[in-house]
Short mmCIF file of all heavy atoms in Angstrom, two decimals:
data_model
loop_
_atom_site.label_atom_id
_atom_site.label_comp_id
_atom_site.label_asym_id
_atom_site.label_seq_id
_atom_site.Cartn_x
_atom_site.Cartn_y
_atom_site.Cartn_z
N GLY R 161 5.57 11.77 -9.86
CA GLY R 161 5.18 13.16 -9.60
C GLY R 161 5.46 13.65 -8.20
O GLY R 161 5.28 14.83 -7.92
N TYR R 162 5.89 12.77 -7.33
CA TYR R 162 6.10 13.15 -5.92
C TYR R 162 7.55 13.53 -5.63
O TYR R 162 8.05 13.24 -4.55
CB TYR R 162 5.67 12.01 -5.01
CG TYR R 162 4.20 11.69 -5.09
CD1 TYR R 162 3.77 10.40 -5.32
CD2 TYR R 162 3.25 12.68 -4.94
CE1 TYR R 162 2.42 10.10 -5.39
CE2 TYR R 162 1.90 12.40 -5.01
CZ TYR R 162 1.49 11.11 -5.24
OH TYR R 162 0.15 10.82 -5.32
N LYS R 163 8.21 14.19 -6.55
CA LYS R 163 9.62 14.49 -6.37
C LYS R 163 9.89 15.44 -5.20
O LYS R 163 10.96 15.43 -4.63
CB LYS R 163 10.25 15.00 -7.67
CG LYS R 163 9.60 16.23 -8.24
CD LYS R 163 10.20 16.51 -9.61
CE LYS R 163 9.32 17.50 -10.37
NZ LYS R 163 9.65 17.53 -11.76
N TRP R 164 8.92 16.25 -4.81
CA TRP R 164 9.09 17.11 -3.64
C TRP R 164 8.85 16.32 -2.36
O TRP R 164 9.47 16.59 -1.34
CB TRP R 164 8.10 18.27 -3.66
CG TRP R 164 8.39 19.32 -4.68
CD1 TRP R 164 9.46 19.41 -5.52
CD2 TRP R 164 7.56 20.44 -4.97
NE1 TRP R 164 9.36 20.52 -6.31
CE2 TRP R 164 8.19 21.18 -5.99
CE3 TRP R 164 6.35 20.89 -4.47
CZ2 TRP R 164 7.65 22.33 -6.52
CZ3 TRP R 164 5.81 22.04 -4.99
CH2 TRP R 164 6.46 22.76 -6.01
N HIS R 165 7.93 15.38 -2.39
CA HIS R 165 7.51 14.68 -1.19
C HIS R 165 8.26 13.37 -0.96
O HIS R 165 8.43 12.93 0.17
CB HIS R 165 6.00 14.41 -1.26
CG HIS R 165 5.22 15.65 -1.50
ND1 HIS R 165 4.93 16.10 -2.78
CD2 HIS R 165 4.73 16.58 -0.66
CE1 HIS R 165 4.27 17.23 -2.69
NE2 HIS R 165 4.12 17.55 -1.42
N LEU R 166 8.69 12.75 -2.05
CA LEU R 166 9.45 11.50 -1.98
C LEU R 166 10.67 11.61 -2.89
O LEU R 166 10.80 10.86 -3.86
CB LEU R 166 8.60 10.30 -2.39
CG LEU R 166 7.40 9.96 -1.52
CD1 LEU R 166 6.55 8.87 -2.16
CD2 LEU R 166 7.85 9.56 -0.13
N PRO R 167 11.59 12.53 -2.61
CA PRO R 167 12.72 12.72 -3.52
C PRO R 167 13.63 11.47 -3.60
O PRO R 167 14.23 11.23 -4.63
CB PRO R 167 13.48 13.91 -2.93
CG PRO R 167 13.07 13.96 -1.50
CD PRO R 167 11.67 13.42 -1.46
N ASN R 168 13.70 10.71 -2.55
CA ASN R 168 14.48 9.47 -2.53
C ASN R 168 13.54 8.28 -2.36
O ASN R 168 13.68 7.50 -1.43
CB ASN R 168 15.51 9.51 -1.40
CG ASN R 168 16.48 10.66 -1.55
OD1 ASN R 168 16.99 10.89 -2.65
ND2 ASN R 168 16.70 11.40 -0.48
N TRP R 169 12.56 8.17 -3.23
CA TRP R 169 11.50 7.18 -3.08
C TRP R 169 12.02 5.76 -2.97
O TRP R 169 11.40 4.93 -2.33
CB TRP R 169 10.46 7.32 -4.19
CG TRP R 169 10.97 7.04 -5.57
CD1 TRP R 169 11.47 7.95 -6.45
CD2 TRP R 169 11.01 5.79 -6.24
NE1 TRP R 169 11.84 7.33 -7.62
CE2 TRP R 169 11.57 5.99 -7.53
CE3 TRP R 169 10.65 4.49 -5.89
CZ2 TRP R 169 11.75 4.98 -8.45
CZ3 TRP R 169 10.83 3.47 -6.79
CH2 TRP R 169 11.38 3.72 -8.06
N LYS R 170 13.16 5.47 -3.60
CA LYS R 170 13.69 4.10 -3.54
C LYS R 170 14.09 3.69 -2.12
O LYS R 170 14.25 2.51 -1.85
CB LYS R 170 14.89 3.94 -4.48
CG LYS R 170 14.48 4.01 -5.94
CD LYS R 170 15.68 3.87 -6.85
CE LYS R 170 15.24 3.98 -8.30
NZ LYS R 170 16.37 3.90 -9.22
N SER R 171 14.23 4.65 -1.21
CA SER R 171 14.59 4.33 0.17
C SER R 171 13.37 3.99 1.03
O SER R 171 13.53 3.51 2.14
CB SER R 171 15.37 5.48 0.80
OG SER R 171 14.55 6.63 0.95
N VAL R 172 12.16 4.25 0.53
CA VAL R 172 10.96 3.97 1.32
C VAL R 172 9.92 3.12 0.59
O VAL R 172 8.91 2.75 1.17
CB VAL R 172 10.29 5.28 1.82
CG1 VAL R 172 11.20 6.01 2.78
CG2 VAL R 172 9.88 6.17 0.67
N VAL R 173 10.15 2.83 -0.67
CA VAL R 173 9.19 2.10 -1.49
C VAL R 173 9.92 0.97 -2.22
O VAL R 173 11.07 1.11 -2.59
CB VAL R 173 8.55 3.06 -2.55
CG1 VAL R 173 7.66 2.32 -3.52
CG2 VAL R 173 7.77 4.17 -1.88
#
Side-chain angles (χ1 to χ4, degrees):
Y162 297 128
K163 58 188 165 195
W164 288 355
H165 306 89
L166 295 173
N168 300 314
W169 64 268
K170 291 179 182 178
S171 67
V172 295
V173 174

